[in-house]
Amino acid sequence: KILIIMSASQKIAEIEAEMARTQKNKATMHHLCLLKAKLAKYKRELLDAATIKGGGGGEGFDVSKTGDARVGLIGFPSVGKSTLMTTMTGVYSEAADYEFTTVTCIPGVYKYKGAKIQLLDLPGIIEGAKDGKGRGKQVIGVARTCGLILIVLDASKPLTHKFIIEYELEGFGIRLNKKPPAIRLHKRDKGGVQITKMCPLTKLDDDTIKTILKEYKILS
């Protein structure tokens, strides 16, 4: 017998491939919702491993929170994040005319009306960051610890760069400028799962909700 142990990254790749193969219709909605639940679970496991000590995990990314708020500077390489960081905080963050000048997380403090705001100059991310390309996992891991994400763009480049960055962040559950769904979960010792709806659900039915909860071992 051969025991195959798959990493979270491999499981994510398999689930995404299966979702791409599956046609979207009423008959497959239950199956797709379950796949999405598993995908979210494995992505969270992957990020939890990368957000140790409040940073992104790995050398140069373990930065402790300080001050009254934390802001992460996110953008493609060589768009001016380091220059903005140096101008606002006085902390030197190397800037040059080549990409990937910043390779670790550089912290600084911006003082405003008595408040101390921690700024983090993060390495540039690239398309595919959510899949682990470049230092995507570490950068997004740090971004999840920030109260505000500031996307820095090059005005001479297409606006699609903003949408690509938002897509990469959303791939790991960072949904910018969106209110979280109004969902409340109350765990009980027994009695099974009871679902109360305040409005009609158009994407999920009760059986799908129970299946998703079962994936997270929530039975009552």
Side-chain angles (χ1 to χ4, degrees), residues 139-207:
V139 172
I140 294 176
V142 175
R144 285 177 64 91
T145 71
C146 296
L148 177 72
I149 299 295
L150 180 61
I151 298 178
V152 182
L153 300 170
D154 183 341
S156 66
K157 300 292 177 63
L159 187 59
T160 50
H161 281 198
K162 173 178 177 287
F163 304 135
I164 292 171
I165 292 171
E166 290 175 338
Y167 175 74
E168 295 297 331
L169 294 175
E170 192 153 324
F172 268 112
I174 302 176
R175 296 174 176 84
L176 301 179
N177 302 325
K178 293 181 181 179
K179 290 184 178 180
I183 298 173
R184 299 290 183 271
L185 182 65
H186 301 283
K187 295 191 71 174
R188 302 182 302 177
D189 294 331
K190 58 183 179 180
V193 174
Q194 294 183 356
I195 300 169
T196 302
K197 300 180 285 286
M198 304 299 291
C199 61
L201 300 183
T202 58
K203 302 293 184 181
L204 295 171
D205 56 29
D206 287 5
D207 288 338

Side-chain angles (χ1 to χ4, degrees), residues 12-219:
I12 288 170
E14 281 209 347
I15 292 171
E16 288 179 336
E18 185 174 349
M19 289 176 66
R21 292 193 301 266
T22 305
Q23 291 186 343
K24 294 182 180 180
N25 54 54
K26 196 171 183 178
T28 61
M29 186 59 66
H30 179 84
H31 179 60
L32 284 172
C33 286
L34 181 57
L35 289 176
K36 286 182 179 179
K38 290 182 177 180
L39 188 62
K41 179 182 176 183
Y42 291 131
K43 283 186 175 183
R44 181 167 292 278
E45 287 178 2
L46 204 59
L47 271 185
D48 285 345
T51 52
I52 302 169
K53 300 179 184 177
E59 185 178 354
F61 286 87
D62 292 334
V63 178
S64 299
K65 283 187 178 182
T66 61
D68 301 294
R70 173 180 260 199
V71 177
L73 304 182
I74 296 282
F76 282 106
S78 299
V79 293
K81 297 187 301 298
S82 297
T83 302
L84 179 62
M85 173 76 164
T86 302
T87 301
M88 294 183 70
T89 68
V91 172
Y92 177 70
S93 184
E94 185 178 356
D97 58 357
Y98 54 87
E99 295 187 348
F100 299 107
T101 312
T102 303
V103 294
T104 60
C105 177
I106 309 295
V109 176
Y110 175 66
K111 296 179 181 178
Y112 180 75
K113 292 185 177 180
K116 294 181 179 180
I117 302 170
Q118 184 184 44
L119 294 185
L120 301 180
D121 180 15
L122 296 167
I125 64 173
I126 59 176
E127 195 167 358
K130 65 182 180 60
D131 301 316
K133 291 185 179 179
R135 291 178 176 247
K137 290 177 187 175
Q138 291 98 325
V139 172
I140 294 176
V142 175
R144 285 177 64 91
T145 71
C146 296
L148 177 72
I149 299 295
L150 180 61
I151 298 178
V152 182
L153 300 170
D154 183 341
S156 66
K157 300 292 177 63
L159 187 59
T160 50
H161 281 198
K162 173 178 177 287
F163 304 135
I164 292 171
I165 292 171
E166 290 175 338
Y167 175 74
E168 295 297 331
L169 294 175
E170 192 153 324
F172 268 112
I174 302 176
R175 296 174 176 84
L176 301 179
N177 302 325
K178 293 181 181 179
K179 290 184 178 180
I183 298 173
R184 299 290 183 271
L185 182 65
H186 301 283
K187 295 191 71 174
R188 302 182 302 177
D189 294 331
K190 58 183 179 180
V193 174
Q194 294 183 356
I195 300 169
T196 302
K197 300 180 285 286
M198 304 299 291
C199 61
L201 300 183
T202 58
K203 302 293 184 181
L204 295 171
D205 56 29
D206 287 5
D207 288 338
T208 302
I209 293 172
K210 290 178 181 179
T211 302
I212 293 172
L213 291 173
K214 188 176 180 181
E215 178 68 25
Y216 286 88
K217 295 181 173 57
I218 300 173
L219 305 177

